[in-house]
Amino acid sequence: MADSTKYMPINERTLVSDLKLKNVFSFRTKKTRAFAYVFIAIFVAVTFFLAFNPSPDPSSPWFSSIFTSTSISTSIKANGTTTTSSSSSSGAYGSAGSQFSSIYSYFFPSNSSEALQNSTVSSPSSNATDSRSPTMNLETPNVIKDPPIVQNQTKSNDSNQTMIGSPLSQPVLNQTAIGSPPPQPYSDQIATGSKSSPQHGSNKTTIVNLPSQPVTNQTTKTVSNSASESQNSITNNATENRMKASPNSEKSLPTSWGNGAGSGPGQRIEDKITTKNVTSLGKKQGFDDLVKNLVNCNLFDGDWVRDDSYPLYKPGSCSLIDEQFNCFSNGRPDLGFQNYKWKPNGCSLPRLDGSKMLKLLKGKRLVFVGDSLNRNMWESLVCILRNSLKDQTKVYEASGRHHFRSEASYSFVFKDYDCTVEFFVAPFLVQEWEIKDKNGTQKETLRLDLISSSADQYKTADVVVFNTGHWWTHDKTSKGEDYYQEGNHVYKELNVLEAFRKAMTTWGNWVDANMNPKKTSVFFRGYSASHFSGGQWNSGGACDHESEPIKNTTYLTPYPDKMIVLEKVFKGMKNRVSYLNITRLTDFRKDGHPSVYRKKHYTAEEIKSPLHYQDCSHWCLPGVPDAWNEILYAQLLVKQYQNQQQKL
């Protein structure tokens, strides 16, 4: 019984107390004794062989983790290879672990001799055990096969793999990353791991073909979720653990490693930079695709849709708006008409970005020529561009004017961009004239054969937007009696459509003869619909009760005959004219006119009048003309895109 006290319990089992060695080796014959010795020798040899050459199957409990402890340590060998070793102790064997470790180190001297301090890690994967007990169970590890793949999460490979990655472009210095490889490699991001699906229970070396960009001084370690498994990743000149990475290396940390494998201020800085680059790249690509889709899109067939991100500038924020367009300052209570954008059926209009448009116009002249509806559009664009700038003091009217109804021309200068946005008054595009009648009195006429007198001032501009229309509906022009003139001849009577055709032909011939299509982009904005109800502009017509756009197309007015005539003139011209056909889209907007809010203060006579004058022709600003300028902006982007394609 005294001998039995020499033996310690092993895994809660005790040796039989009366077991004696002499009984074990008390064989009766020499042959039997020799056979026993040979058997014992073979058993010991096989035991040692299996102990140092564990089963390739990580799920096998036989000798694969007998000599391993629970700690996982990272060490760097002299040649720069970083190694993870794992061991577990159980029961009485813990006392003999150090002895066996010495024997193991004799055969494998570099495996753990230079272990780094504070390098104990746990598997980053949710499939692995975060903490392991010193009395680890030697049963088959609990492996969850094919876990669901979630964004920023990657399955761990259950195999011993040496990952050799090819060089990547941007150097990543002095870094050891521990964790599962990310699901998708980004630009400026190192992706580790096999491209193929994980194969369990195999020791293999996988060469991963990654983007060809050099990576220096970096070690990436993948920890599997098996308790008995260690995985080594080898790259060129690995030097330091990520915990001891130099401060400079933070600038080149990978952007995403999944499940928190990468962290720290350097990681967040790189995340921001790369996210910004990827986002800006994505935005640019998306914007280019948006412009490309505009090329063959009918921008004038669509609907008004509610969008609370509009208007493009806050009501009351632009001091350049004339009183007759400034409905907000004039006290209009309902401002819902400002929260609409025009949406073509076949594409999407890019939101007018004032800064981008100014870049398009840098060093150029954009000129509006026409009547007060073009002044409406001109003021809208000046406000949009001006409000996109931080320093608005560098935007000014060239002559110092602050009111824009009495002079023949105006020019806003955008000093930082060396560009101007100008307006020339020419309500007919041809010249208004005077002759003496038989009695010697002056008589007004319209010269259908002469372009407006200001034409020479804008013929070399880079972008010109023409319009005419409303003045052709007035009594004098619509009747056409003793008013239209060609040469010295005044027509006793001439149909207004014919007069309009003659005038537009004169304009078209002048454009062909005086404007260089390689320098000047010519636009013509179509007729802007009016919405007088119960009379005309001078006979008590009103629109002050309108607060929503027309929704039923049945109530839209027929397409104007004058615009049909104009389109025929376009077809006969040599120069290409971009037609901004806004007639139908404005016809929907019976709610967007100044109506009674054209003035802040009315005279005593106007207050007494039950049908005081309302403006149902012009438009409140912010409002409908902003959409015209968004279409103009889209057309300029298309022209830029087409020019770039021609140069390719």
Side-chain angles (χ1 to χ4, degrees), residues 6 28 37 71 127 183 285 289 294 366 379 391 410 420-421 455 490 516 534 539 549 551 578 606 629 644:
K6 297 178 183 178
R28 297 185 182 275
Y37 290 148
S71 64
N127 298 334
Q285 183 63 38
D289 290 341
L294 295 174
L366 190 158
E379 288 187 16
D391 187 1
Y410 305 91
T420 58
V421 182
V490 177
N516 182 359
S539 59
K551 297 177 181 178
S578 298
E606 287 173 332
N629 282 311
Q644 290 173 347

mmCIF file of all heavy atoms in Angstrom, residues 6 28 37 71 127 183 285 289 294 366 379 391 410 420-421 455 490 516 534 539 549 551 578 606 629 644:
data_model
loop_
_atom_site.group_PDB
_atom_site.id
_atom_site.type_symbol
_atom_site.label_atom_id
_atom_site.label_comp_id
_atom_site.label_asym_id
_atom_site.label_seq_id
_atom_site.Cartn_x
_atom_site.Cartn_y
_atom_site.Cartn_z
ATOM 1 N N LYS A 6 2.600 7.015 -3.985
ATOM 2 C CA LYS A 6 3.527 7.748 -4.843
ATOM 3 C C LYS A 6 2.858 8.286 -6.092
ATOM 4 O O LYS A 6 3.438 9.075 -6.812
ATOM 5 C CB LYS A 6 4.690 6.837 -5.257
ATOM 6 C CG LYS A 6 5.528 6.367 -4.082
ATOM 7 C CD LYS A 6 6.622 5.437 -4.583
ATOM 8 C CE LYS A 6 7.440 4.898 -3.409
ATOM 9 N NZ LYS A 6 8.492 3.959 -3.864
ATOM 10 N N ARG A 28 6.596 -16.208 -17.717
ATOM 11 C CA ARG A 28 7.098 -17.554 -17.445
ATOM 12 C C ARG A 28 8.162 -17.994 -18.444
ATOM 13 O O ARG A 28 9.051 -18.772 -18.127
ATOM 14 C CB ARG A 28 5.931 -18.546 -17.446
ATOM 15 C CG ARG A 28 4.928 -18.243 -16.336
ATOM 16 C CD ARG A 28 3.854 -19.300 -16.294
ATOM 17 N NE ARG A 28 2.878 -18.973 -15.261
ATOM 18 C CZ ARG A 28 3.019 -19.294 -13.978
ATOM 19 N NH1 ARG A 28 4.113 -19.949 -13.580
ATOM 20 N NH2 ARG A 28 2.097 -18.995 -13.086
ATOM 21 N N TYR A 37 8.645 -6.964 -24.214
ATOM 22 C CA TYR A 37 9.550 -5.817 -24.321
ATOM 23 C C TYR A 37 9.417 -5.127 -25.679
ATOM 24 O O TYR A 37 9.409 -3.895 -25.785
ATOM 25 C CB TYR A 37 11.002 -6.290 -24.103
ATOM 26 C CG TYR A 37 11.317 -6.700 -22.688
ATOM 27 C CD1 TYR A 37 12.247 -7.699 -22.427
ATOM 28 C CD2 TYR A 37 10.688 -6.092 -21.609
ATOM 29 C CE1 TYR A 37 12.528 -8.090 -21.114
ATOM 30 C CE2 TYR A 37 10.959 -6.477 -20.304
ATOM 31 C CZ TYR A 37 11.881 -7.480 -20.052
ATOM 32 O OH TYR A 37 12.144 -7.825 -18.779
ATOM 33 N N SER A 71 -2.794 28.892 -23.486
ATOM 34 C CA SER A 71 -2.373 30.215 -23.931
ATOM 35 C C SER A 71 -1.994 30.192 -25.392
ATOM 36 O O SER A 71 -1.469 29.214 -25.901
ATOM 37 C CB SER A 71 -1.173 30.697 -23.094
ATOM 38 O OG SER A 71 -0.073 29.856 -23.311
ATOM 39 N N ASN A 127 -17.272 32.238 -33.888
ATOM 40 C CA ASN A 127 -17.324 30.801 -33.803
ATOM 41 C C ASN A 127 -16.302 30.237 -32.816
ATOM 42 O O ASN A 127 -16.370 29.097 -32.396
ATOM 43 C CB ASN A 127 -17.044 30.167 -35.166
ATOM 44 C CG ASN A 127 -18.089 30.594 -36.159
ATOM 45 O OD1 ASN A 127 -19.196 30.914 -35.758
ATOM 46 N ND2 ASN A 127 -17.761 30.607 -37.433
ATOM 47 N N PRO A 183 -14.511 40.194 -45.974
ATOM 48 C CA PRO A 183 -15.197 39.518 -47.066
ATOM 49 C C PRO A 183 -14.822 40.027 -48.430
ATOM 50 O O PRO A 183 -14.807 39.302 -49.393
ATOM 51 C CB PRO A 183 -16.673 39.766 -46.775
ATOM 52 C CG PRO A 183 -16.706 40.939 -45.871
ATOM 53 C CD PRO A 183 -15.419 40.924 -45.108
ATOM 54 N N GLN A 285 -18.839 58.803 -60.433
ATOM 55 C CA GLN A 285 -19.328 57.828 -61.396
ATOM 56 C C GLN A 285 -20.835 57.932 -61.549
ATOM 57 O O GLN A 285 -21.370 57.887 -62.651
ATOM 58 C CB GLN A 285 -18.933 56.417 -60.938
ATOM 59 C CG GLN A 285 -19.346 55.318 -61.917
ATOM 60 C CD GLN A 285 -18.661 55.460 -63.264
ATOM 61 O OE1 GLN A 285 -17.489 55.829 -63.321
ATOM 62 N NE2 GLN A 285 -19.374 55.196 -64.338
ATOM 63 N N ASP A 289 -22.914 58.997 -64.923
ATOM 64 C CA ASP A 289 -23.998 58.164 -65.468
ATOM 65 C C ASP A 289 -25.283 58.970 -65.597
ATOM 66 O O ASP A 289 -26.044 58.807 -66.559
ATOM 67 C CB ASP A 289 -24.240 56.952 -64.561
ATOM 68 C CG ASP A 289 -23.089 55.959 -64.613
ATOM 69 O OD1 ASP A 289 -22.314 56.017 -65.595
ATOM 70 O OD2 ASP A 289 -22.957 55.152 -63.681
ATOM 71 N N LEU A 294 -28.960 61.734 -69.721
ATOM 72 C CA LEU A 294 -29.682 62.923 -70.186
ATOM 73 C C LEU A 294 -29.590 63.105 -71.696
ATOM 74 O O LEU A 294 -30.400 63.825 -72.282
ATOM 75 C CB LEU A 294 -29.127 64.179 -69.502
ATOM 76 C CG LEU A 294 -29.297 64.303 -67.982
ATOM 77 C CD1 LEU A 294 -28.555 65.528 -67.475
ATOM 78 C CD2 LEU A 294 -30.764 64.386 -67.610
ATOM 79 N N LEU A 366 -22.442 84.323 -70.049
ATOM 80 C CA LEU A 366 -23.765 83.748 -70.267
ATOM 81 C C LEU A 366 -24.746 84.912 -70.361
ATOM 82 O O LEU A 366 -24.839 85.732 -69.443
ATOM 83 C CB LEU A 366 -24.149 82.811 -69.123
ATOM 84 C CG LEU A 366 -25.404 81.943 -69.326
ATOM 85 C CD1 LEU A 366 -25.370 80.725 -68.405
ATOM 86 C CD2 LEU A 366 -26.696 82.709 -69.059
ATOM 87 N N GLU A 379 -32.703 86.561 -63.214
ATOM 88 C CA GLU A 379 -32.603 86.850 -61.781
ATOM 89 C C GLU A 379 -32.553 85.561 -60.962
ATOM 90 O O GLU A 379 -31.835 85.463 -59.958
ATOM 91 C CB GLU A 379 -33.781 87.724 -61.330
ATOM 92 C CG GLU A 379 -33.692 89.149 -61.825
ATOM 93 C CD GLU A 379 -34.769 90.049 -61.221
ATOM 94 O OE1 GLU A 379 -35.384 89.653 -60.207
ATOM 95 O OE2 GLU A 379 -34.995 91.151 -61.750
ATOM 96 N N ASP A 391 -18.315 84.036 -50.120
ATOM 97 C CA ASP A 391 -18.048 85.471 -50.172
ATOM 98 C C ASP A 391 -18.868 86.097 -51.295
ATOM 99 O O ASP A 391 -18.465 86.098 -52.458
ATOM 100 C CB ASP A 391 -16.557 85.720 -50.397
ATOM 101 C CG ASP A 391 -16.188 87.197 -50.294
ATOM 102 O OD1 ASP A 391 -17.099 88.015 -50.031
ATOM 103 O OD2 ASP A 391 -14.991 87.534 -50.473
ATOM 104 N N TYR A 410 -28.064 94.601 -68.324
ATOM 105 C CA TYR A 410 -27.464 94.456 -66.997
ATOM 106 C C TYR A 410 -26.439 93.323 -67.063
ATOM 107 O O TYR A 410 -26.585 92.385 -67.853
ATOM 108 C CB TYR A 410 -28.524 94.126 -65.938
ATOM 109 C CG TYR A 410 -29.658 95.124 -65.879
ATOM 110 C CD1 TYR A 410 -30.802 94.939 -66.646
ATOM 111 C CD2 TYR A 410 -29.576 96.243 -65.057
ATOM 112 C CE1 TYR A 410 -31.843 95.844 -66.602
ATOM 113 C CE2 TYR A 410 -30.622 97.160 -65.005
ATOM 114 C CZ TYR A 410 -31.743 96.963 -65.778
ATOM 115 O OH TYR A 410 -32.771 97.872 -65.742
ATOM 116 N N THR A 420 -19.482 86.399 -66.378
ATOM 117 C CA THR A 420 -20.612 87.317 -66.221
ATOM 118 C C THR A 420 -21.907 86.620 -66.616
ATOM 119 O O THR A 420 -21.915 85.736 -67.476
ATOM 120 C CB THR A 420 -20.439 88.575 -67.104
ATOM 121 O OG1 THR A 420 -20.315 88.172 -68.474
ATOM 122 C CG2 THR A 420 -19.214 89.375 -66.687
ATOM 123 N N VAL A 421 -22.989 87.024 -65.958
ATOM 124 C CA VAL A 421 -24.332 86.567 -66.300
ATOM 125 C C VAL A 421 -25.138 87.825 -66.604
ATOM 126 O O VAL A 421 -25.399 88.636 -65.703
ATOM 127 C CB VAL A 421 -24.960 85.751 -65.151
ATOM 128 C CG1 VAL A 421 -26.337 85.254 -65.555
ATOM 129 C CG2 VAL A 421 -24.065 84.573 -64.768
ATOM 130 N N ALA A 455 -27.724 93.538 -80.455
ATOM 131 C CA ALA A 455 -27.234 92.218 -80.860
ATOM 132 C C ALA A 455 -25.713 92.142 -80.954
ATOM 133 O O ALA A 455 -25.110 91.122 -80.590
ATOM 134 C CB ALA A 455 -27.860 91.815 -82.195
ATOM 135 N N VAL A 490 -44.847 99.640 -94.500
ATOM 136 C CA VAL A 490 -45.616 99.308 -93.300
ATOM 137 C C VAL A 490 -46.879 98.590 -93.754
ATOM 138 O O VAL A 490 -47.649 99.121 -94.572
ATOM 139 C CB VAL A 490 -45.979 100.572 -92.492
ATOM 140 C CG1 VAL A 490 -46.832 100.189 -91.289
ATOM 141 C CG2 VAL A 490 -44.720 101.325 -92.055
ATOM 142 N N ASN A 516 -20.584 82.094 -84.007
ATOM 143 C CA ASN A 516 -19.721 80.961 -84.300
ATOM 144 C C ASN A 516 -20.174 79.764 -83.454
ATOM 145 O O ASN A 516 -20.032 79.782 -82.226
ATOM 146 C CB ASN A 516 -18.272 81.323 -83.981
ATOM 147 C CG ASN A 516 -17.305 80.195 -84.300
ATOM 148 O OD1 ASN A 516 -17.711 79.114 -84.747
ATOM 149 N ND2 ASN A 516 -16.025 80.448 -84.077
ATOM 150 N N GLY A 534 -60.970 84.427 -65.618
ATOM 151 C CA GLY A 534 -62.010 85.465 -65.543
ATOM 152 C C GLY A 534 -61.658 86.721 -66.292
ATOM 153 O O GLY A 534 -62.306 87.756 -66.119
ATOM 154 N N SER A 539 -57.736 92.975 -68.039
ATOM 155 C CA SER A 539 -59.202 93.040 -67.915
ATOM 156 C C SER A 539 -59.714 92.223 -66.729
ATOM 157 O O SER A 539 -60.720 91.545 -66.826
ATOM 158 C CB SER A 539 -59.853 92.528 -69.206
ATOM 159 O OG SER A 539 -59.466 91.188 -69.469
ATOM 160 N N PRO A 549 -50.447 72.932 -58.253
ATOM 161 C CA PRO A 549 -50.315 72.781 -59.716
ATOM 162 C C PRO A 549 -51.526 72.064 -60.308
ATOM 163 O O PRO A 549 -52.278 71.383 -59.599
ATOM 164 C CB PRO A 549 -49.053 71.925 -59.880
ATOM 165 C CG PRO A 549 -48.339 71.998 -58.583
ATOM 166 C CD PRO A 549 -49.376 72.207 -57.532
ATOM 167 N N LYS A 551 -53.185 69.081 -62.047
ATOM 168 C CA LYS A 551 -52.860 67.655 -62.011
ATOM 169 C C LYS A 551 -53.509 66.872 -63.149
ATOM 170 O O LYS A 551 -53.052 65.794 -63.509
ATOM 171 C CB LYS A 551 -53.268 67.070 -60.659
ATOM 172 C CG LYS A 551 -52.502 67.685 -59.496
ATOM 173 C CD LYS A 551 -52.968 67.140 -58.159
ATOM 174 C CE LYS A 551 -52.203 67.788 -57.018
ATOM 175 N NZ LYS A 551 -52.657 67.319 -55.683
ATOM 176 N N SER A 578 -30.521 74.871 -79.290
ATOM 177 C CA SER A 578 -31.090 73.998 -78.259
ATOM 178 C C SER A 578 -32.392 74.626 -77.772
ATOM 179 O O SER A 578 -32.384 75.734 -77.225
ATOM 180 C CB SER A 578 -30.109 73.835 -77.091
ATOM 181 O OG SER A 578 -28.920 73.218 -77.524
ATOM 182 N N GLU A 606 -55.742 101.416 -56.363
ATOM 183 C CA GLU A 606 -55.671 99.963 -56.526
ATOM 184 C C GLU A 606 -56.431 99.236 -55.426
ATOM 185 O O GLU A 606 -57.050 98.192 -55.656
ATOM 186 C CB GLU A 606 -54.201 99.514 -56.530
ATOM 187 C CG GLU A 606 -53.461 99.879 -57.808
ATOM 188 C CD GLU A 606 -51.983 99.593 -57.726
ATOM 189 O OE1 GLU A 606 -51.428 99.626 -56.608
ATOM 190 O OE2 GLU A 606 -51.366 99.340 -58.785
ATOM 191 N N ASN A 629 -33.735 76.910 -65.135
ATOM 192 C CA ASN A 629 -32.282 76.971 -65.019
ATOM 193 C C ASN A 629 -31.681 75.601 -64.711
ATOM 194 O O ASN A 629 -30.548 75.326 -65.116
ATOM 195 C CB ASN A 629 -31.882 77.989 -63.940
ATOM 196 C CG ASN A 629 -31.990 79.420 -64.441
ATOM 197 O OD1 ASN A 629 -31.502 79.748 -65.513
ATOM 198 N ND2 ASN A 629 -32.653 80.271 -63.675
ATOM 199 N N GLN A 644 -16.404 66.102 -74.661
ATOM 200 C CA GLN A 644 -15.376 65.202 -74.146
ATOM 201 C C GLN A 644 -15.342 63.898 -74.936
ATOM 202 O O GLN A 644 -14.276 63.345 -75.203
ATOM 203 C CB GLN A 644 -15.626 64.918 -72.668
ATOM 204 C CG GLN A 644 -15.380 66.117 -71.762
ATOM 205 C CD GLN A 644 -15.804 65.864 -70.333
ATOM 206 O OE1 GLN A 644 -16.502 64.896 -70.027
ATOM 207 N NE2 GLN A 644 -15.399 66.739 -69.432
#
